[in-house]
Amino acid sequence: MSAFFDGLLTALQPGNLAALLAGSLLGVFAGAMPGLSSTVGLALVLPVTFALDPTPALLMMVSIYMAAEYGGSITAIAIGVPGSSPALATTFDGYAMTRRGEAGRALGISLFSSMSGGLLGTVLLVLALGPLSRAAIAFGPAEYFGLGVFGLSIVANLVGKDPFKGIVSALLGLLFFIVGLDVLTGAPRLTFGTNALMDGLGLVPMLIGFFAIAEALEAVTGRRRSTPPGDGIAGALPKARELFGLWRTILRGSAIGGLIGAIPGAGATIASIVAWNEERRVSKTPERFGTGLPAGIAAPEAANNSCVGAAMIPLLALGIPGSASAAVLLGGLTVQGVAPGPLLMTERSELVYALYAGFVVAVLLMLAVGRLGIPLWTRVVRLRPSILMPLVVAISLVGTFSLRGNAADAWAALFFGLVGFAMLRGGYPLAPAVLGLILGPMIETNYRRALSLSSGSHSIFLESPISLVLILLAAVSFAAPAVRSRLISGRTRAPEPDTHDGPDTHDGPDTHDGPDAYDNEPRHEEHE
Amino acid sequence: MSSSSAGGAARLRLLAEAGVLAVVAAGVLLDSRSYPGSLAEGAPGPAFFPRLLAVLLMGCAAWLAIRAARQPPESDAGRSRGNARTGSGAGRGARLGLGATWIAVFLLVWPRLGTVASVPLLVAGLMWLTGERSRLALISVPLAFAAFIYLVFIVALGVPLPSGF
């Protein structure tokens, strides 16, 4: 304990505190800007850290990492465009609350949940560095395949009232990931001889296209977005009682984020989607998820911030980065002459304890920066759509370009914008496609690797207890919505035939609520 | 629009969706002929997954075609009301084309004109297309936004955005 307090004193030294504060500001900005992310924020600041001592350099980087996970929820809630991919699940309920005029409340819930998740993730990091590192390395191809299939089974909860269209959407998402070089053999797939497609289509252009450009095109086609109703900003913030009432949700989300975050390669995006889905599954009113439930924001936000601390476990203990952001962090550590691994605790214990304390201070600074920013963001959502949407498109395209300095990414975003627009018009939900693109690489690559290890025998997936449990959970998760709806329909009278399921009435399955926001008339809120 | 013609439109739409899926699936199958379906030791090759997806998409296309054949003529009446409410489809399609073209033009001229010169054009054009008619807003917002992009992305963060000629 005294070592932790020593670390705290180190983190609170003026130079280190300034590094943490700068990291928080940059992290919230990077997370909130569509196209940027914690990874880009870390990459941008990496050259700056070369000039710093190891402690402030590391503290600045963890502060960016932590704050960016919260920052992603700002635009997800304010304008329905996830600032970074881990905020995708936050869009489901967060943007629905904004449309009800509760942006301040949603942002407050997100901030509190992010803070709680960040703190719990740090506790997990401190307590479980050793045991979880050993568990994480037990994941081989069969287990990763099981995790990917389990993640994909969430599609069953995202498909709305036409499961068929949700499945088509997921298949298209899986197809999009195939574009580019095959990871295992280097064979170009669906590139049609174009060099620009060799790197693949990418998640960020897809998110930008689906959630920013498709929505802007909706605005251009004349569907007016009504400015969300709003009351006073102070009055719109959540009450303390409401925040603390979410403790079970936050604990569950943090636990899921902690477990998934500790698995190298799984990442905060999967953790937040799994957390949202689990919260929906345990809810007594799962059908209300996606219509603006506080728990639908708290669970994913707690999960993605909890992931930050958890991702440090394999990084510090084994030198294995748990995410792309952790990989950049690893680069920063290496430049500073810090070698992560089993000897780090003995050779550089003062740095490790300063890091633990730095996480706590970074979370508190994130709370302060986030709280001060809420009035600004609630004003942003009240901008006229004819001003807001063009700005969203422009900053999204600039952010997409910034990611890799590649104009092809911006073109891909336009392509996905048109595809997303067409899918929404046809009543095809967008979230399953995004999930397909995220999980496709994990599923395909590990399926093939596992079969390569087992000489083609599928028994490898059943011999591993972790893989078996995950596949069984996937089967349950996939079947549960159908069974539940059958049970419910058995108990209630058959509803009247729906004559409004065409795309123009917008009550088809639609995780992305964007176009609906352009309708001035009230509609039945639903979520897939 | 009468019920039967509305039903015909819905059937046509389902058939069009089926056609798109079938074309995509066929394209994937054709492309996957150029890479191996399986590797040594029984492991699936790079063609396995695309072919599996293509077959599933073909199945989906077939199911959409069946749904089109079963489409009752009156089921799309609500949709036709929706069209009447939101304006003509042709007008919306033209505006969609203009919006997408404007973004594409921006992407084409961006490397040549540079970020500071081209971003205001993108923003002003989209503002106009989304119905903004205030001259003050059409001039000041794009310029202020370009200044923001320049100061934050180029000066503060050092992001190498296109600088033009």
Side-chain angles (χ1 to χ4, degrees):
Chain A
M1 201 64 189
S2 67
F4 180 81
F5 282 113
D6 288 343
L8 191 60
L9 287 175
T10 305
L12 290 176
Q13 284 173 6
N16 294 337
L17 197 58
L20 283 162
L21 181 60
S24 284
L25 288 167
L26 184 61
V28 169
F29 176 78
M33 290 297 110
L36 299 186
S37 62
S38 58
T39 311
V40 177
L42 283 166
L44 288 172
V45 88
L46 198 56
V48 178
T49 64
F50 297 164
L52 299 175
D53 289 335
T55 307
L58 185 59
L59 292 179
M60 183 186 273
M61 287 193 285
V62 298
S63 188
I64 290 172
Y65 193 3
M66 183 66 78
E69 295 301 336
Y70 159 69
S73 74
I74 293 173
T75 35
I77 290 168
I79 54 176
V81 180
S84 52
S85 54
L88 172 67
T90 309
T91 314
F92 302 161
D93 283 278
Y95 189 48
M97 284 182 76
T98 294
R99 289 192 302 154
R100 286 205 309 254
E102 297 176 331
R105 186 176 162 221
L107 286 165
I109 291 166
S110 165
L111 181 58
F112 180 77
S113 309
S114 296
M115 180 203 73
S116 308
L119 286 176
L120 290 168
T122 305
V123 171
L124 184 74
L125 169 67
V126 174
L127 296 179
L129 190 58
L132 266 182
S133 301
R134 285 190 289 276
I137 57 169
F139 266 62
E143 289 78 14
Y144 276 114
F145 172 75
L147 184 65
V149 172
F150 174 59
L152 198 62
S153 69
I154 292 167
V155 163
N157 287 319
L158 298 175
V159 292
K161 57 184 182 183
D162 192 345
F164 173 77
K165 291 191 170 180
I167 289 166
V168 170
S169 177
L171 289 175
L172 289 175
L174 288 167
L175 200 61
F176 290 139
F177 112 78
I178 286 174
V179 176
L181 296 178
D182 175 38
V183 177
L184 297 183
T185 63
R189 300 190 295 183
L190 301 179
T191 58
F192 308 106
T194 313
N195 286 337
L197 290 176
M198 293 291 184
D199 283 341
L201 289 172
L203 180 60
V204 171
M206 184 192 230
L207 288 174
I208 296 295
F210 276 6
F211 294 97
I213 294 178
E215 184 155 347
L217 292 175
E218 284 281 349
V220 166
T221 56
R223 285 180 173 273
R224 285 287 171 270
R225 168 200 181 112
S226 54
T227 303
D231 40 16
I233 290 162
L237 287 170
K239 301 276 188 295
R241 191 176 169 187
E242 178 182 15
L243 294 176
F244 287 106
L246 289 165
W247 69 272
R248 284 192 188 89
T249 299
I250 289 170
L251 271 183
R252 271 193 292 271
S254 301
I256 289 168
L259 283 173
I260 294 180
I263 302 166
T269 306
I270 294 172
S272 58
I273 293 172
V274 169
W276 181 86
N277 188 56
E278 283 307 297
E279 202 53 38
R280 185 185 198 268
R281 198 178 59 77
V282 301
S283 168
K284 288 174 183 165
T285 55
E287 72 284 354
R288 291 183 58 217
F289 270 69
T291 65
L293 284 188
I297 298 172
E301 282 307 306
N304 62 34
N305 273 84
S306 173
C307 262
V308 175
M312 300 300 288
I313 294 170
L315 176 69
L316 294 179
L318 306 164
I320 300 171
S323 63
S325 302
V328 182
L329 255 168
L330 177 63
L333 285 170
T334 311
V335 168
Q336 294 288 347
V338 179
L343 296 178
L344 184 67
M345 255 334 252
T346 50
E347 291 178 352
R348 301 296 297 269
S349 62
E350 83 292 345
L351 187 66
V352 174
Y353 282 107
L355 177 74
Y356 290 163
F359 263 110
V360 175
V361 179
V363 168
L364 297 177
L365 287 172
M366 178 190 78
L367 180 68
V369 170
R371 172 63 188 87
L372 290 172
I374 286 178
L376 172 69
W377 298 114
T378 48
R379 284 194 177 88
V380 166
V381 301
R382 299 185 62 73
L383 277 174
R384 284 202 299 276
S386 58
I387 292 178
L388 181 61
M389 292 318 299
L391 297 184
V392 167
V393 170
I395 203 148
S396 298
L397 290 174
V398 169
T400 310
F401 181 93
S402 309
L403 186 67
R404 294 190 289 191
N406 188 353
D409 284 338
W411 281 103
L414 177 59
F415 165 75
F416 279 120
L418 290 168
V419 171
F421 179 86
M423 286 173 69
L424 286 169
R425 299 284 86 210
Y428 290 86
L430 300 181
V434 176
L435 208 56
L437 186 73
I438 292 169
L439 295 169
M442 182 183 281
I443 293 172
E444 192 210 9
T445 310
N446 288 294
Y447 175 75
R448 287 166 57 195
R449 275 190 186 136
L451 288 187
S452 183
L453 289 172
S454 67
S455 303
S457 168
H458 284 81
S459 62
I460 189 170
F461 300 110
L462 307 177
E463 286 163 1
S464 155
I466 298 173
S467 164
L468 182 61
V469 167
L470 285 169
I471 289 170
L472 288 175
L473 280 174
V476 171
S477 175
F478 203 80
V483 172
R484 188 166 52 221
S485 103
R486 182 154 291 198
L487 285 174
I488 290 169
S489 65
R491 277 193 239 124
T492 55
R493 278 193 330 152
E496 292 187 11
D498 179 17
T499 57
H500 291 270
D501 63 350
D504 291 315
T505 52
H506 283 283
D507 60 356
D510 177 13
T511 301
H512 171 38
D513 285 316
D516 302 323
Y518 293 94
D519 280 333
N520 284 326
E521 16 184 289
R523 73 175 188 103
H524 168 61
E525 297 274 6
E526 66 167 324
H527 188 72
E528 49 281 25
Chain B
M1 192 186 285
S2 70
S3 291
S4 58
S5 63
R11 190 174 298 132
L12 213 58
R13 184 166 52 86
L14 284 173
L15 282 174
E17 288 169 13
V20 169
L21 287 184
V23 167
V24 169
V28 172
L29 280 176
L30 278 175
D31 189 75
S32 70
R33 288 189 310 175
S34 60
Y35 29 93
S38 62
L39 302 174
E41 299 168 350
F48 171 77
F49 205 61
R51 283 178 190 164
L52 176 67
L53 287 175
V55 168
L56 291 171
L57 281 174
M58 281 286 191
C60 290
W63 178 243
L64 274 175
I66 292 169
R67 277 170 95 165
R70 289 177 177 173
Q71 180 74 28
E74 69 278 10
S75 69
D76 211 33
R79 182 169 175 269
S80 63
R81 284 198 296 274
N83 274 337
R85 186 194 53 182
T86 54
S88 76
R92 289 214 318 263
R95 284 197 297 273
L96 168 69
L98 274 174
T101 305
W102 191 248
I103 296 172
V105 167
F106 162 74
L107 293 177
L108 281 173
V109 302
W110 189 10
R112 291 170 182 81
L113 286 184
T115 303
V116 176
S118 55
V119 162
L121 295 176
L122 171 74
V123 174
L126 288 178
M127 283 173 68
W128 176 268
L129 285 170
T130 45
E132 183 60 53
R133 292 296 179 266
S134 159
R135 284 182 193 169
L136 181 66
L138 283 167
I139 294 169
S140 61
V141 172
L143 290 178
F145 186 70
F148 167 78
I149 294 284
Y150 176 75
L151 290 174
V152 173
F153 280 82
I154 298 174
V155 176
L157 297 177
V159 177
L161 293 174
S163 54
F165 294 110

